[in-house]
Amino acid sequence: MNAVRSNDPARQERLRALNLELVFRHVLAAEAPVSRTELAAATGLTRPTITRIVEELIAGRLVTETGATPDGRAGRPRMGLTVCRSGPAGLGLDIRTEGLAACVVDLGGAVRHLAFAPFTDTEAPAVLERLGRMAAEAAEAVSAEGLTVVTATLAVPGPTDAGIVRTAPSLGWRDVDAGALLAEHLRHLDVTTNVDNEANLAARGELHRATPDHFLYISGGLDIGAGIILDRRLMRGSHGWGGELGHLTVDPDGKPCRCGSRGCLQTYASLAAILHGETLPEDLTADAALLTWADAGRPETLAALDTAATALGIAIANVLNLLDIDTVLLGGSFALLSSWLIEGVEAELAQRVLSSRWAPITVRPATLGPDAAAIGAAMAVVDLIRRDPTAWLASGR
Amino acid sequence: MNAVRSNDPARQERLRALNLELVFRHVLAAEAPVSRTELAAATGLTRPTITRIVEELIAGRLVTETGATPDGRAGRPRMGLTVCRSGPAGLGLDIRTEGLAACVVDLGGAVRHLAFAPFTDTEAPAVLERLGRMAAEAAEAVSAEGLTVVTATLAVPGPTDAGIVRTAPSLGWRDVDAGALLAEHLRHLDVTTNVDNEANLAARGELHRATPDHFLYISGGLDIGAGIILDRRLMRGSHGWGGELGHLTVDPDGKPCRCGSRGCLQTYASLAAILHGETLPEDLTADAALLTWADAGRPETLAALDTAATALGIAIANVLNLLDIDTVLLGGSFALLSSWLIEGVEAELAQRVLSSRWAPITVRPATLGPDAAAIGAAMAVVDLIRRDPTAWLASGR
């Protein structure tokens, strides 16, 4: 913390930045357009200060003035301020089980573009080249609506470190500098790029919806990952490699895992484990095939789902005993399969979580579905600008 | 965040509080006495402001002026300011494996009093009555040195909730309002009371020593608990019930645990589990007996320690995969037994922690020994006053 002295020009500037941030947060959080008078009342700032700040926010395309809107009282329409839906936008890129996704959200968090392409090749250079093209298409598509893509965030199924994907077993990647490859393909766009774990980004996506302050987001698929939200902040650990739920030990003498360990949750509850070597019908994805088979009451599928649910429950119980979280969101393939999993998970939690004797635990499907990571990645724009709107405005983009 | 307007009296007051806090932090963090000139240089505040703040801090017994101290240059002794060692003090009370402890630390974090009493009775009313007497003796003992006990924090072996001990299996306690009982016994002392889990408090004690920013502290004994430090903050979870490491599942089909689950870490690595039903020699504690037997190469003890180390390694691997922490401190009985445990723990971590392939993990004994929780509890005084020295001074205590 720095000392803030009166009449110090640096302090005056910091004060202006704090006030601008405060006003922008109010506009972002408001459910309906707000007037300048309401902003003055809510922030305690003077009307001239509000007027100056609103001008800055409008000029920087962060806030926009809506037309006359009814305010509930008959005959008294009014002007209001809302977050700008035709200003800076965020691009999310996602490498998921069946292919690649690109998503653009505006400053209000609304999805404005969403594209999906099945895999043709899972080698890193090919994947990043394809994502580069999808990014360009997305930026082009939304520019027609006045949006400018200013952040690009890539979601990958594995731990990352300064843009490097340390390992992504489902893709066979190891130490791939995805950040550099992506930046190379996006060099024609003036964007901030970032790479993060898909479960972390999906958890952040869910956080932007109205979820509790603390929750465990679980991403099911070829790999199993988790994003941990405590006090509405993503828990990243020392290096950002947290949330490797798929490699929690469920049975120390269990089957060998690709990671080199034994009895990892992966070996019971990944899509491959639940499919137990079954060949997929040509026209169905793994999720869809499992749903079809489960609905038809196919005994092998039901047994595999039971095994997965028990293993998942044991691993989740470990997390809850350790972190004291009481909401669990099942995402990715687990969201689709949740009606076959929740009962088995809950049975393990009731037995294994110490606090379950006196505090209830909620297990439910995540709300964003398979696009959670792409949407969470695209939402980086909101976090970037919300964190420091003054720096953003000063950048002149 | 609130708007801070110029010439607003509330803002001026906030500014004064921030500046006082800043100066106090500098004095607390300094390794040697600091002069007013050094404080002005370090904080960027003017000399008159420093003079006023130092006066307030001295009057409130937070800071004291030391005599002339040599500064390394021959013949130039100087006056310096340090944290006051005869002002407010913190009391830590701890219910541990073999008995009760009381500890007083001063504002500099130095232990000024430490007392231990073996159990005569583990029923809650008797324990809290005895702790009340130990607290009075401790406050009396340090008052002779000018110290005033202003916080009392009780460390208990189990999850707590607003002063209530939800469960402490090693004591047979369930829903004991330890906070109310303690406050009752301390009503003659003017103190802030608090109750927290012993592993949480021990982790905070270790944090006040020079440990890394992120670490997992494990408390071994009749029960096994953990304190998780991320970014130098104790991770408390939704209700403060995190860190129940003893109830992480090591083997889902393992032995029943007192908690109602099966195969908990407790059932492999608590002191009772390592003793596997052996009768203790009259004159030895459980720790001491295990050490003696292990040193003598007693096969049953060595085998039990190996089993404990493997189970501990599996549970720790789960934590590290989830939280991305790379330092593990073995505390309580595990500190004493660490030379018999570390190798087995490390073998499991090497196999089971995904990031261990590219980032080293350190497992070492904790530094504070069996008094960690009592010291960490007593250190609450430092946190209380550091958090808001102005409020503390205003309280006029």
Side-chain angles (χ1 to χ4, degrees), chain A residues 4-5 15 18 44 230 235 238-241 243-244 249-250 252 259 262 318 321-322 324 326 352 357-358, chain B residues 1 4-5 15 44 230 235 238-241 243-244 249-250 252 259 262 318 321-322 324 326 352 357-358:
Chain A
V4 272
R5 280 175 291 170
L15 207 61
L18 282 175
L230 295 171
M235 215 284 323
S238 311
H239 316 86
W241 302 330
E244 287 298 336
T249 302
V250 168
C259 77
R262 279 189 171 276
N318 284 344
N321 273 320
L322 202 66
D324 177 26
D326 45 26
R352 299 187 186 276
R357 281 91 174 123
W358 65 83
Chain B
M1 189 174 310
V4 272
R5 278 175 292 169
L15 206 59
L230 294 171
M235 215 285 323
S238 313
H239 317 85
W241 303 328
E244 288 297 338
T249 302
V250 168
C259 78
R262 276 186 173 278
N318 284 344
N321 273 320
L322 201 66
D324 177 26
D326 45 26
R352 299 186 187 276
R357 281 91 175 121
W358 66 83

Side-chain angles (χ1 to χ4, degrees), chain A residues 69-161:
Chain A
T69 56
D71 70 347
R73 276 174 291 171
R76 288 208 57 224
R78 60 168 204 182
M79 296 295 279
L81 298 160
T82 61
V83 159
C84 182
R85 308 269 172 171
S86 56
L91 171 69
L93 300 167
D94 181 25
I95 308 174
R96 63 174 72 154
T97 305
E98 280 102 14
L100 307 173
C103 167
V104 178
V105 303
D106 62 31
L107 260 193
V111 174
R112 302 291 291 271
H113 174 89
L114 194 55
F116 176 80
F119 278 124
T120 47
D121 187 338
T122 58
E123 291 292 318
V127 165
L128 287 151
E129 193 271 319
R130 184 84 187 85
L131 284 170
R133 274 188 288 140
M134 291 174 78
E137 287 157 16
E140 170 88 25
V142 298
S143 76
E145 300 176 48
L147 287 163
T148 313
V149 168
V150 298
T151 66
T153 302
L154 173 63
V156 293
T160 68
D161 184 11

Side-chain angles (χ1 to χ4, degrees), chain B residues 326-350:
Chain B
D326 45 26
T327 303
V328 180
L329 303 182
L330 299 181
S333 303
F334 291 159
L336 299 172
L337 298 169
S338 61
S339 58
W340 303 99
L341 296 172
I342 287 181
E343 206 177 318
V345 167
E346 285 179 339
E348 294 301 319
L349 300 186

Side-chain angles (χ1 to χ4, degrees), chain A residues 299-313:
Chain A
E300 302 90 322
T301 302
L302 296 181
L305 284 166
D306 276 353
T307 304
T310 300
L312 197 54

